[in-house]
């Protein structure tokens, strides 16, 4: 049995356990205050539909989406697909490069969760769907995208080291959560501002090398899912972002993978 089949089997066999234990694990204490939490989120989060406040239903499992602008695009579709099935949160801003992951996760915890926020959230994550890579492979000069004169944000070695640290952090901090890593979606064949097409393959290969050491972390291969439709789904040439059709298709795929792991 290959890794993908094994992880899929493992996720399926855990559905009944997760369903019976979810209500007892993820509960809100009597100190939870919606107004306090909503105000804290308003000050923390970026604007836009993907960042709207989610008032948790204590009877439902809690999902966290962590990723860059690609994940921002598919977040609303995931929420719609999991209505009455899960509380779907996302990181409060663009997740950006791999070195930002742990600081952003800590800021989320210290801003929104009890005991740091009196009246704040009081629950555990059931599923964390995460991605880093698209901001690691870009070239910058003076904060602007620039392939010719810029420097890549993270070398392959740094990216692998950061991702390894992220995996260790997630397994230590959230030992009961199902972890799902999404591969980085493709840079267009003709390239994009500040990015080279082949790098999405190179960085995904590096990511899978790291994740081979963490067999319990499932892979959502969004690269393979999206690539065949890239010409129809990219918003325009030389742009890594996706149109409405692409965002919805990616969101449905993410919803499918998460549902298999609830």
């Amino acid at each position: 049995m290959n890794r993908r089949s094994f992880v899929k089997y493992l996720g399926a066999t855990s559905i009944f356990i997760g369903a019976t234990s979810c209500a007892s694990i993820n509960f809100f204490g009597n100190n939870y205050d919606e107004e306090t939490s909503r105000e804290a989120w308003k000050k923390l989060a970026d604007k836009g539909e993907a960042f709207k406040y989610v008032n948790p239903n204590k009877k439902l499992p809690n999902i966290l989406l962590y990723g860059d602008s690609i994940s921002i695009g598919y977040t609303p579709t995931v929420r719609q697909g999991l209505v009455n099935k899960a509380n779907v949160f996302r990181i409060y801003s663009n997740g950006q490069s791999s070195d930002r992951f742990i600081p952003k996760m800590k800021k989320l915890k210290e801003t929104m969760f009890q005991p740091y926020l009196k009246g704040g959230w009081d629950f555990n994550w059931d599923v964390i769907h995460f991605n880093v890579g698209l901001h690691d492979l870009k070239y910058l000069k003076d904060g602007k995208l620039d392939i010719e004169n810029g420097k890549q944000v993270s070398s392959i070695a740094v990216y692998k080291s950061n991702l390894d640290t992220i995996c260790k952090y997630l397994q230590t901090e959230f030992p009961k959560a199902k972890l799902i890593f999404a591969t980085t979606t493709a840079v267009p064949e003709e390239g994009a501002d500040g990015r080279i097409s082949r790098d999405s393959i190179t960085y995904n290969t590096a990511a899978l090398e790291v994740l081979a050491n963490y067999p319990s972390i499932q892979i959502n291969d969004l690269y393979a899912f999206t690539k065949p439709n890239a010409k129809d789904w990219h918003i325009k040439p030389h742009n890594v972002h996706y149109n409405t059709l692409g965002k919805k298709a990616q969101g449905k795929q993410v919803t499918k993978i998460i549902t298999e792991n609830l």
Side-chain angles (χ1 to χ4, degrees), residues 209-242:
E209 289 174 358
V210 172
L211 288 162
N213 297 316
Y214 300 92
S216 64
I217 301 179
Q218 185 170 345
I219 307 297
N220 179 9
D221 197 352
L222 275 186
Y223 176 91
F225 175 78
T226 303
K227 179 65 174 175
N229 302 285
K231 290 184 179 179
D232 294 326
W233 291 356
H234 273 131
I235 194 168
K236 60 182 179 180
H238 303 285
N239 194 303
V240 297
H241 299 101
Y242 295 89

Side-chain angles (χ1 to χ4, degrees), residues 121-160:
W121 296 342
D122 182 17
F123 61 83
N124 300 314
W125 297 117
D126 290 284
V127 178
I128 300 175
H129 182 280
F130 68 105
N131 164 263
V132 287
L134 198 58
H135 281 261
D136 291 274
L137 59 79
K138 68 185 180 182
Y139 290 80
L140 293 178
K141 181 176 175 60
D142 299 328
K144 296 182 179 180
L145 295 168
D146 188 339
I147 292 176
E148 293 184 0
N149 304 302
K151 180 181 178 182
Q152 210 157 26
V153 171
S154 302
S155 67
I156 286 292
V158 169
Y159 176 65
K160 291 178 71 173

